[in-house]
Amino acid sequence: MDTDNLSIAYIFQQQQLLVDANFNLPCLKLQEHDLHIQADPQVIARDFQEGEPIPNGYQFIPIRQLLQYWTKPQFEQASRAFQLLEWRRNHQFCSRCGHKTQQHKTEYSMTCPVCNFSQYPRVNPCVITIIRRGENEILLAKSARNTGQMYSLVAGFVEVGETLEDAVRRETLEEVGLHIKNIQYLASQPWPFPSNLMLAFKAEYEAGEIEIQEKELSDAQFFKLDQLPEIPFKGSIAHAMIMHVIHGTPVADDTKQWL
């Protein structure tokens, strides 16, 4: 096979990615509408087309599952590819005048040829907070949409005109009715569902009794560190935050192992 004209390809079908049994990406011929992610080696992204044959030995798996098997930089590049495809798909028309847009040749911009308005990729900032009470307890909450038994951390979107610390305080008060103190930033993680940036914080319980926001949560409790329920899987920032409190391990992974 002539590999000179092949590109490492992120092929997405909604929130699933095409990989082989070892979670490797396919190498495919470049197509006209591919989205260029990286030049050397050449990496592209594209949406899987209905009726297109799946290459032998490959299958679609949920992007979330890759967190458990890929390095942090690998998942971040997949996240970037997914979010850029989502951006291009959602900005086919100008939001100012309604005409069909064109993708800029040298930058990530969907530009209107009529009014010249440019629409760039956007990121939705979200805060996620681990709250300690004393030395041996953390607050965990169960999403109302979660049909399983997994508990995670309080999280929510940052609102317009709000600082990150204000968002941490507001989300905690809204979702579980608690006041917190000593808010400290920990780390961040791109989260392509669909285009979020998770900003991790830790804080200490100050006052109040747990009163859940029932539209968002089905339960919230302080758990002892040696008696935790089911928690998010390894690779998620929530898991790293919980391990940070229990074992003192860093939340941010500074190792760089690129494709």
PDB file of all heavy atoms in Angstrom, residues 58 75 77 81 98 186:
ATOM      1  N   TYR A  58     -12.052  -2.440  11.617  1.00  0.00           N
ATOM      2  CA  TYR A  58     -12.358  -1.219  12.356  1.00  0.00           C
ATOM      3  C   TYR A  58     -13.808  -1.219  12.814  1.00  0.00           C
ATOM      4  O   TYR A  58     -14.668  -1.879  12.224  1.00  0.00           O
ATOM      5  CB  TYR A  58     -12.081   0.024  11.494  1.00  0.00           C
ATOM      6  CG  TYR A  58     -10.614   0.291  11.303  1.00  0.00           C
ATOM      7  CD1 TYR A  58      -9.896  -0.367  10.294  1.00  0.00           C
ATOM      8  CD2 TYR A  58      -9.925   1.163  12.133  1.00  0.00           C
ATOM      9  CE1 TYR A  58      -8.539  -0.139  10.120  1.00  0.00           C
ATOM     10  CE2 TYR A  58      -8.560   1.395  11.960  1.00  0.00           C
ATOM     11  CZ  TYR A  58      -7.880   0.748  10.957  1.00  0.00           C
ATOM     12  OH  TYR A  58      -6.537   0.974  10.793  1.00  0.00           O
ATOM     13  N   PHE A  75      -6.268  11.955  23.501  1.00  0.00           N
ATOM     14  CA  PHE A  75      -7.681  12.273  23.689  1.00  0.00           C
ATOM     15  C   PHE A  75      -7.948  13.743  23.397  1.00  0.00           C
ATOM     16  O   PHE A  75      -8.989  14.089  22.829  1.00  0.00           O
ATOM     17  CB  PHE A  75      -8.130  11.932  25.102  1.00  0.00           C
ATOM     18  CG  PHE A  75      -9.598  12.219  25.329  1.00  0.00           C
ATOM     19  CD1 PHE A  75     -10.563  11.343  24.865  1.00  0.00           C
ATOM     20  CD2 PHE A  75      -9.999  13.380  25.984  1.00  0.00           C
ATOM     21  CE1 PHE A  75     -11.908  11.612  25.041  1.00  0.00           C
ATOM     22  CE2 PHE A  75     -11.341  13.658  26.168  1.00  0.00           C
ATOM     23  CZ  PHE A  75     -12.304  12.771  25.698  1.00  0.00           C
ATOM     24  N   GLN A  77      -6.457  15.637  21.219  1.00  0.00           N
ATOM     25  CA  GLN A  77      -6.506  15.846  19.778  1.00  0.00           C
ATOM     26  C   GLN A  77      -7.818  15.311  19.195  1.00  0.00           C
ATOM     27  O   GLN A  77      -8.419  15.943  18.318  1.00  0.00           O
ATOM     28  CB  GLN A  77      -5.313  15.184  19.086  1.00  0.00           C
ATOM     29  CG  GLN A  77      -5.223  15.564  17.611  1.00  0.00           C
ATOM     30  CD  GLN A  77      -3.995  15.005  16.939  1.00  0.00           C
ATOM     31  OE1 GLN A  77      -3.864  13.803  16.782  1.00  0.00           O
ATOM     32  NE2 GLN A  77      -3.091  15.873  16.524  1.00  0.00           N
ATOM     33  N   ALA A  81     -10.629  17.502  17.223  1.00  0.00           N
ATOM     34  CA  ALA A  81     -11.178  17.116  15.921  1.00  0.00           C
ATOM     35  C   ALA A  81     -12.700  17.065  15.960  1.00  0.00           C
ATOM     36  O   ALA A  81     -13.391  17.566  15.055  1.00  0.00           O
ATOM     37  CB  ALA A  81     -10.606  15.760  15.504  1.00  0.00           C
ATOM     38  N   GLY A  98     -27.760  35.289   7.095  1.00  0.00           N
ATOM     39  CA  GLY A  98     -28.425  34.077   6.640  1.00  0.00           C
ATOM     40  C   GLY A  98     -27.877  33.442   5.380  1.00  0.00           C
ATOM     41  O   GLY A  98     -28.354  32.372   4.978  1.00  0.00           O
ATOM     42  N   LEU A 186      -7.527  23.767  40.032  1.00  0.00           N
ATOM     43  CA  LEU A 186      -6.709  22.557  39.952  1.00  0.00           C
ATOM     44  C   LEU A 186      -6.171  22.277  38.547  1.00  0.00           C
ATOM     45  O   LEU A 186      -4.972  22.112  38.356  1.00  0.00           O
ATOM     46  CB  LEU A 186      -7.524  21.350  40.421  1.00  0.00           C
ATOM     47  CG  LEU A 186      -7.878  21.272  41.902  1.00  0.00           C
ATOM     48  CD1 LEU A 186      -8.802  20.093  42.163  1.00  0.00           C
ATOM     49  CD2 LEU A 186      -6.610  21.147  42.751  1.00  0.00           C
TER      50      LEU A 186
END
